[in-house]
């Protein structure tokens, strides 16, 4: 069982949409991205539910993340279930926050959706 190169490209692009200002604040896109029942354990240790993942469009908001995602890899762990992991590097003024990130993606009806995400400070 191996992840197809096409699915690998799609998952990489989807993961990066979470770190691009122009896509992260696109509510319609995020509605399609986050699966029902989505849960995140953030860098802070706080648990987030799907409804907390949708943000109002704020033209002043900017996500200053390093892309492509450092140390990125993705692998199929079961039929139509993939795990992606990487290091996030986000700049907030003079501060850079780094975290080790992992995501579980599930493919349903031909579309990959994010089911779980965790961030750990590093």
């Amino acid at each position: 069982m191996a992840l197809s190169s096409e699915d690998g490209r799609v998952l990489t692009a989807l993961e990066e949409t979470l770190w691009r200002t122009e896509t992260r604040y696109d509510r319609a896109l995020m509605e399609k991205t986050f699966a029902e029942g989505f849960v995140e354990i953030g860098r802070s240790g706080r648990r987030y539910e799907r409804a907390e993942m949708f943000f109002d469009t704020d033209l002043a908001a900017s996500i200053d993340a390093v892309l492509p995602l450092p140390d990125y890899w993705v692998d199929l762990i079961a039929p139509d279930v993939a795990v992606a992991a990487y290091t996030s590097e986000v700049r907030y003024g003079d501060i850079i926050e780094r975290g080790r990130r992992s995501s579980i993606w599930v493919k349903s009806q031909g579309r990959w959706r994010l089911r779980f995400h965790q961030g750990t400070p590093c």
Side-chain angles (χ1 to χ4, degrees):
M1 175 175 58
L3 187 68
S4 73
S5 58
E6 175 61 20
D7 280 337
R9 283 190 295 275
V10 167
L11 287 165
T12 301
L14 284 169
E15 198 74 58
E16 288 187 357
T17 67
L18 303 171
W19 297 100
R20 294 182 189 281
T21 303
E22 64 275 12
T23 50
R24 185 63 181 94
Y25 295 101
D26 180 338
R27 174 128 187 174
L29 177 61
M30 292 298 108
E31 289 271 358
K32 293 175 186 174
T33 301
F34 292 103
E36 296 300 323
F38 170 84
V39 174
E40 174 177 338
I41 308 299
R43 281 182 80 253
S44 65
R46 181 172 171 236
R47 177 187 165 110
Y48 297 89
E49 306 277 329
R50 182 178 190 269
E52 296 173 274
M53 296 294 102
F54 307 115
F55 307 119
D56 292 329
T57 301
D58 180 352
L59 298 179
S62 178
I63 301 171
D64 189 5
V66 172
L67 294 173
L69 297 166
D71 307 319
Y72 179 84
W73 61 268
V74 62
D75 196 17
L76 199 63
I77 57 173
D80 296 326
V81 180
V83 63
Y86 55 93
T87 302
S88 61
E89 294 183 13
V90 184
R91 181 176 299 278
Y92 300 95
D94 292 336
I95 298 170
I96 297 176
E97 287 187 354
R98 290 181 178 84
R100 289 294 300 151
R101 305 275 180 170
S102 58
S103 299
I104 296 176
W105 293 87
V106 177
K107 193 174 192 180
S108 177
Q109 299 176 340
R111 180 172 183 85
W112 287 102
R113 300 193 73 201
L114 186 56
R115 181 63 178 82
F116 176 81
H117 182 80
Q118 178 157 357
T120 303
C122 64

